[in-house]
Amino acid sequence: MSDADLEQIRKARLAQLQQQGGGGAGAGEGGQEEQRQQKEAEARQSILVQILLPDAADRLGRIRLVKASRATEIEDRLIMLARSGQLRQKVTEEQLKELLNAVAETQEEEKIIVSRRKPGWDDQDDLLDL
């Protein structure tokens, strides 16, 4: 899909949401919140389209399918870098991989601790004495 196709889909979806939002006073407040979130999402997408090459955007999309929180964190970092002027050119897939590795190194991994029973004591042993 090209950028023009995606923009047309977004506009059609926004128009559809605006038509559905005219339900009542209570629905209007919820609709406003939903519209605000929709606008924020569109603004994020437009920034990401400007700063990512297509292959990097594809990789970020695949990451979103696996772990949405990680993708959101990477997007936040990319947007922050773009707003601060630290990005001189569009981000390539290799640069995105480097950013992912940097984020992965800074995050603590969850540790799984397995506690095992000490041998010698078993509930089944009590039944053998009968």
Side-chain angles (χ1 to χ4, degrees):
M1 288 183 136
S2 69
D3 291 339
D5 293 338
L6 291 174
E7 190 62 33
Q8 288 176 347
I9 292 171
R10 284 189 196 117
K11 286 181 181 179
R13 179 70 177 141
L14 185 58
Q16 182 184 19
L17 289 173
Q18 288 174 346
Q19 289 175 353
Q20 291 176 353
E29 292 174 8
Q32 288 176 352
E33 178 69 22
E34 187 175 315
Q35 285 180 353
R36 185 185 61 79
Q37 289 177 352
Q38 181 73 19
K39 286 181 182 180
E40 286 177 8
E42 286 179 11
R44 287 176 66 90
Q45 277 305 113
S46 68
I47 291 171
L48 290 171
V49 165
Q50 292 174 6
I51 62 175
L52 291 174
L53 288 175
D55 57 342
D58 289 342
R59 180 173 288 272
L60 192 58
R62 290 190 303 269
I63 291 168
R64 178 169 299 288
L65 290 174
V66 176
K67 193 161 189 173
S69 62
R70 174 75 50 94
T72 303
E73 183 179 349
I74 295 297
E75 287 174 358
D76 291 342
R77 285 182 182 235
L78 287 169
I79 290 170
M80 180 187 65
L81 289 171
R83 286 184 177 162
S84 67
Q86 294 180 2
L87 294 179
R88 305 275 186 251
Q89 58 190 6
K90 286 192 171 191
V91 177
T92 64
E93 186 174 7
E94 291 302 318
Q95 291 169 329
L96 184 64
K97 286 180 188 179
E98 291 173 9
L99 183 61
L100 283 165
N101 288 334
V103 169
E105 289 175 0
T106 59
Q107 288 183 343
E108 282 188 29
E109 302 236 356
E110 292 182 23
K111 293 183 180 181
I112 299 173
I113 299 172
V114 177
S115 60
R116 301 177 189 264
R117 286 185 168 176
K118 294 182 180 179
W121 293 99
D122 191 7
D123 293 337
Q124 297 294 327
D125 290 341
D126 293 338
L127 297 177
L128 295 176
D129 294 337
L130 294 175

